């Protein structure tokens, strides 16, 4: 009887949604698409791209359809977003890319984070009273680190792609030169930043109409200067940006405005391949970004702390499971403040931080049903270390390759300063350094020696592009923008998928929380129940219920022969698409 019902139900479902493949999953009774899930992911058979901007996603899918691999598509998306998503898509910023290559069964972590110019030094942003000058750190030419994006994308393509730079950058060149149609997301974003962007003549000219008004939904935005810069990159590769006419424009801009970046800084920019942080969680391998990102280390540290508690039984987003997650977050961000920085300048105790024994010790310090005060929680390693609007996209292809990439200008539109004549915005990533011990950066993050400013050093980041492998094969790619919240957002999406066995859409849309040690309060998204919040408060947690959302993930899973993807529902304009 039951069997018959199941067969009838399947037949009915198949006829209703002939092209929709979750049915296969239902038929196989995999937990990926369950009858109880209120959200279903996008599903495809041959490959998938998830990004914050629809045109860029389509560019990536086109590259896959042309036979490009996940890296080819990712690089094309990276350049396209620099045109269609100027808030965070960039060639004037930097980021991190995780690549899994199926053929070699190898996972690579590409660091193309900005580097501090040679003239930068520890007290760069202190004024005559020794206070941090936030304007200079965040909204001046001195806010910019030497951009890494162009070098990083080219490095990925040359080493792990199959197509030419000319092929993968072509869509971006066309989008800049011929223009593209504005969606609501860009109209509203430009309008929100009109005042500050318009203070910079080059940004005003490039991103607003000649009369100074903003482009609107359905209108076409062309960016001729950016098209020229992209063509220089297309024709000369690394040298097209870091040397020659584009470099001249950057240096001219710097010289005229008290900026620090020189020709030498540009020529000296280096991409670094680093050993991926590798953790394990209940049979999954979690491969994620090492320092100078703090994300990977702390994701693994927190997952280690949570692994033995059976959060699934405690209940998703129940007070009991949130309590454990909050306390894990509190500890991780305390450790971050002390131990994390650029590993080329500071001996980051990675092995110790991701050791399961360290996590077990930390777990014993979490009281039952009682919040700790952040002042009681200190960086806790036994060893004393020696020595002194971001955006994410994920791509998977039909060969089993996966890319997880997060890159940024730091703030939305970075410093809001455009290189005159070159058409791209400069990052304000220098603010991710700790300008002064005990003084928080724009995300409220504290830091010390490990993340002090030094020439050539890379500022500590929270960006956490992450890949999950199952039995050695790419299972999931995810990541998010959101400054300091990135790490906890990625943690929750991973826990939702791996621990709570939610499908990738349900894992994405579920309400989130965030704690970062200081300030000692928990951001709570709408959707966490009043009962749960009341319990957490009764246990001493300090909740901040101001209405806001946290993060914007772009995730793909591969399972049982299908790609399952979801763009976050929290921000407009994103698209997950497969074929
Ligand atoms: O690297 C970091 O951690 C920051 N610069 C990221 C900034 C960010 O995510 C802004 N986006 N919402």
């Amino acid at each position: 009887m039951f069997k018959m019902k199941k067969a009838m139900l399947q037949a009915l479902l198949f006829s209703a949604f002939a092209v929709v493949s979750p049915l296969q999953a239902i038929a196989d009774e995999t937990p990926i698409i369950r009858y109880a899930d209120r959200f279903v992911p996008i599903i495809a058979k041959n490959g998938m791209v998830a990004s914050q901007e629809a045109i860029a996603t389509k560019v990536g899918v086109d590259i896959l359809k042309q036979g490009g691999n996940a890296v080819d598509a990712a690089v094309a998306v990276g350049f396209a977003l620099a045109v269609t998503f100027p808030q965070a898509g960039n060639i004037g910023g930097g980021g991190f890319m995780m690549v899994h290559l199926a053929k070699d069964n190898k996972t690579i972590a590409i660091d193309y984070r900005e580097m501090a110019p040679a003239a930068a030094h520890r007290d760069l942003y202190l004024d005559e009273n020794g206070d941090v000058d936030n304007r200079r750190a965040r909204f001046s030419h001195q806010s910019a680190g030497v951009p890494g994006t162009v070098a990083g994308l080219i490095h990925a393509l040359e080493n792990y792609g199959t197509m030419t730079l000319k092929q993968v950058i072509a869509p971006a060149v066309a989008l800049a030169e011929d223009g593209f149609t504005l969606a609501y997301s860009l109209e509203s974003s430009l309008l929100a930043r009109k005042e500050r962007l318009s203070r910079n003549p080059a940004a005003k000219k490039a991103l607003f109409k000649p009369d100074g008004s903003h482009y609107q939904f359905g209108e076409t935005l062309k960016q001729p200067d950016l098209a020229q810069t992209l063509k220089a990159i297309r024709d000369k590769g690394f040298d097209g940006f870091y040397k020659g006419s584009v470099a001249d424009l950057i240096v001219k801009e710097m010289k005229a405005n008290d900026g620090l970046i020189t020709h030498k800084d540009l020529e000296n920019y280096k991409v670094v391949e680093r050993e991926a942080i590798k953790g394990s969680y209940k049979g999954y391998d979690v491969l994620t970004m090492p320092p100078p990102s703090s994300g990977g280390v702390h994701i693994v540290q927190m997952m280690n702390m949570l692994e033995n508690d059976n959060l699934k039984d405690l209940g998703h987003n129940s007070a009991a499971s949130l309590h454990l997650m909050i306390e894990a977050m509190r500890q991780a961000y305390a450790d971050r403040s002390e131990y994390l920085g650029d590993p080329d300048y500071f001996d980051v105790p990675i092995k110790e931080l991701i050791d399961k024994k360290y996590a077990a010790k930390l777990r014993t310090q979490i009281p039952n049903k009682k919040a700790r005060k952040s002042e009681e929680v200190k960086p806790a390693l036994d060893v004393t270390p020696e020595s002194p609007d971001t955006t994410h996209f994920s791509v998977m292809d039909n060969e089993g390759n996966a890319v997880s990439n997060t890159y940024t200008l730091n703030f939305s539109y970075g410093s809001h300063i455009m290189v005159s004549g070159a058409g791209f915005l400069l990052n304000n990533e220098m603010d991710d350094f700790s300008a002064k011990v005990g003084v928080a950066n724009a995300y409220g993050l504290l830091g010390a020696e490990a993340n002090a400013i030094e020439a050539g050093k890379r500022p500590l980041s929270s960006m956490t592009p992450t890949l999950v492998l199952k039995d050695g094969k790419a299972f999931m790619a995810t990541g998010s923008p959101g400054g300091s919240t990135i790490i906890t957002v990625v943690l929750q999406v991973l826990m939702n998928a791996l621990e709570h066995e939610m499908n990738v859409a349900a894992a994405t849309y579920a309400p989130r929380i965030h704690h970062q040690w200081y300030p000692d309060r928990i951001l709570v998204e709408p959707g966490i129940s009043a009962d749960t919040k009341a319990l957490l408060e009764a246990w001493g947690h300090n909740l901040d219920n101001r209405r806001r959302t946290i993060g914007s993930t772009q995730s793909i899973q591969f399972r049982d022969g299908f790609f399952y993807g979801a763009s976050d529902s929290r921000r407009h304009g994103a698209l997950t698409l497969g074929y």
Side-chain angles (χ1 to χ4, degrees):
M1 176 66 182
F2 171 74
K3 274 216 166 100
M4 228 182 81
K5 262 200 185 152
K6 189 178 155 194
M8 276 168 60
L9 183 65
Q10 277 179 15
L12 202 71
L13 287 168
F14 267 109
S15 62
F17 309 100
V19 289
V20 183
S21 41
L23 304 167
Q24 186 58 46
I26 290 173
D28 294 344
E29 294 184 348
T30 71
I32 284 295
I33 305 289
R34 300 173 301 186
Y35 294 111
D37 282 335
R38 288 174 300 126
F39 306 109
V40 291
I42 304 295
I43 299 179
K45 188 72 187 162
N46 294 305
M48 186 171 276
V49 178
S51 95
Q52 189 62 56
E53 200 285 317
I55 298 170
T57 292
K58 288 178 190 158
V59 164
V61 172
D62 272 352
I63 295 282
L64 291 177
K65 283 185 182 166
Q66 288 168 37
N69 71 6
V71 176
D72 297 320
V75 173
V77 172
F79 281 120
L81 285 169
V83 181
T84 61
F85 193 69
Q87 301 92 307
N90 69 81
I91 53 174
F96 303 120
M97 183 185 283
M98 298 288 308
V99 178
H100 179 75
L101 295 174
K103 192 163 56 68
D104 309 326
N105 189 20
K106 192 166 130 187
T107 305
I108 302 128
I110 302 172
D111 168 2
Y112 60 96
R113 181 76 162 161
E114 297 88 336
M115 292 168 75
H121 56 88
R122 168 188 294 260
D123 297 335
L124 178 62
Y125 300 116
L126 301 190
D127 63 18
E128 58 281 5
N129 302 319
D131 297 328
V132 178
D133 179 345
N134 282 331
R135 190 205 62 83
R136 215 149 40 76
R138 298 174 190 172
F139 295 112
S140 80
H141 287 72
Q142 292 187 5
S143 321
V146 182
T149 296
V150 172
L153 295 181
I154 291 175
H155 177 96
L157 184 73
E158 285 180 349
N159 289 281
Y160 308 110
T162 66
M163 294 170 85
T164 62
L165 180 57
K166 203 170 165 183
Q167 285 173 303
V168 298
I169 207 172
V173 172
L175 286 163
E177 191 155 56
D178 307 335
F180 64 94
T181 307
L182 246 75
Y184 168 79
S185 45
L186 185 52
E187 175 187 338
S188 61
S189 163
L190 284 170
L191 185 59
R193 297 301 175 114
K194 183 170 166 216
E195 198 272 322
R196 192 175 276 277
L197 281 168
S198 299
R199 286 187 216 165
N200 178 259
K204 184 175 179 188
K205 178 169 153 247
L207 298 172
F208 295 87
K209 292 183 187 173
D211 69 358
S213 64
H214 71 285
Y215 288 95
Q216 297 186 18
F217 184 94
E219 292 182 336
T220 301
L221 173 64
K222 295 184 185 184
Q223 299 172 79
D225 287 346
L226 179 58
Q228 282 311 111
T229 299
L230 290 168
K231 283 181 188 170
I233 298 166
R234 175 193 68 192
D235 297 338
K236 301 204 184 82
F238 180 95
D239 289 356
F241 185 84
Y242 295 91
K243 295 177 184 170
S245 58
V246 175
D248 289 345
L249 288 171
I250 298 173
V251 174
K252 187 172 158 210
E253 177 82 27
M254 289 290 153
K255 279 196 176 143
N257 296 283
D258 219 12
L260 303 180
I261 298 174
T262 62
H263 275 294
K264 203 150 179 222
D265 288 324
L266 290 166
E267 282 166 29
N268 285 344
Y269 183 82
K270 290 224 169 12
V271 175
V272 187
E273 279 200 10
R274 302 194 185 268
E275 194 183 329
I277 296 289
K278 187 169 174 194
S280 66
Y281 188 87
K282 300 191 178 175
Y284 295 95
D285 292 316
V286 177
L287 285 125
T288 175
M289 196 66 209
S293 171
S294 57
V297 164
H298 295 306
I299 285 284
V300 170
Q301 178 188 7
M302 290 188 284
M303 292 181 90
N304 285 345
M305 287 177 75
L306 297 168
E307 190 174 20
N308 298 318
D309 273 289
N310 241 325
L311 266 61
K312 192 171 182 205
D313 290 347
L314 292 178
H316 175 255
N317 279 354
S318 66
S321 64
L322 288 180
H323 170 65
L324 293 174
M325 292 181 70
I326 290 163
E327 292 303 328
M329 292 172 186
R330 195 192 304 275
Q331 181 66 56
Y333 281 78
D335 284 354
R336 183 191 192 279
S337 73
E338 184 75 18
Y339 305 124
L340 269 285
D342 181 347
D344 296 342
Y345 285 71
F346 188 86
D347 195 3
V348 181
I350 297 177
K351 223 172 74 229
E352 289 82 356
L353 286 165
I354 63 171
D355 188 346
K356 289 200 193 265
K357 288 206 282 296
Y358 178 53
K361 183 184 107 182
L362 295 175
R363 172 65 187 89
T364 63
Q365 295 165 2
I366 300 179
N368 195 20
K369 299 188 178 178
K370 184 174 178 306
R372 294 178 291 181
K373 296 264 165 280
S374 285
E375 64 205 33
E376 302 161 15
V377 176
K378 304 277 184 241
L381 276 184
D382 291 333
V383 297
T384 318
E386 289 165 25
S387 123
D389 210 292
T390 304
T391 193
H392 182 84
F393 52 89
S394 299
V395 185
M396 285 200 194
D397 67 22
N398 57 14
E399 290 166 2
N401 305 311
V403 174
S404 181
N405 186 97
T406 315
Y407 73 159
T408 188
L409 292 165
N410 193 18
F411 291 5
S412 214
Y413 303 100
S415 60
H416 296 64
I417 295 169
M418 189 170 273
V419 176
S420 187
F424 65 88
L425 290 160
L426 287 164
N427 68 80
N428 58 348
E429 220 74 67
M430 294 291 283
D431 189 62
D432 278 350
F433 278 119
S434 175
K436 185 178 175 183
V437 175
V439 177
N441 75 358
Y443 301 101
L445 291 167
L446 293 166
E449 196 54 42
N451 192 30
I453 308 173
E454 279 182 72
K457 191 173 174 182
R458 296 164 195 245
L460 183 60
S461 173
S462 301
M463 291 188 287
T464 316
T466 297
L467 297 171
V468 178
L469 308 188
K470 176 88 175 140
D471 304 323
K473 296 197 166 55
F475 173 76
M476 187 164 172
T478 190
S480 179
S484 58
T485 67
I486 293 173
I487 310 171
T488 56
V489 166
V490 172
L491 172 73
Q492 288 167 89
V493 169
L494 292 177
M495 292 296 289
N496 291 347
L498 308 184
E499 171 70 28
H500 299 287
E501 297 185 335
M502 295 179 177
N503 77 56
V504 71
T508 299
Y509 305 156
R512 296 172 183 152
I513 55 131
H514 170 73
H515 190 31
Q516 62 179 50
W517 186 44
Y518 285 106
D520 191 352
R521 53 140 167 74
I522 299 145
L523 304 184
V524 182
E525 278 192 337
I528 302 285
S529 83
D531 293 351
T532 297
K533 290 195 276 192
L535 276 174
L536 288 171
E537 276 173 339
W539 299 344
H541 288 290
N542 180 21
L543 305 186
D544 178 343
N545 290 306
R546 270 174 293 172
R547 259 189 101 78
R548 86 187 89 198
T549 60
I550 309 173
S552 183
T553 58
Q554 307 295 331
S555 311
I556 303 177
Q557 270 188 351
F558 181 77
R559 187 171 174 150
D560 306 323
F562 289 93
F563 297 91
Y564 301 83
S567 286
D568 213 312
S569 48
R570 289 165 176 81
R571 295 189 191 176
H572 272 282
L575 177 68
T576 293
L577 193 66
Y579 75 109

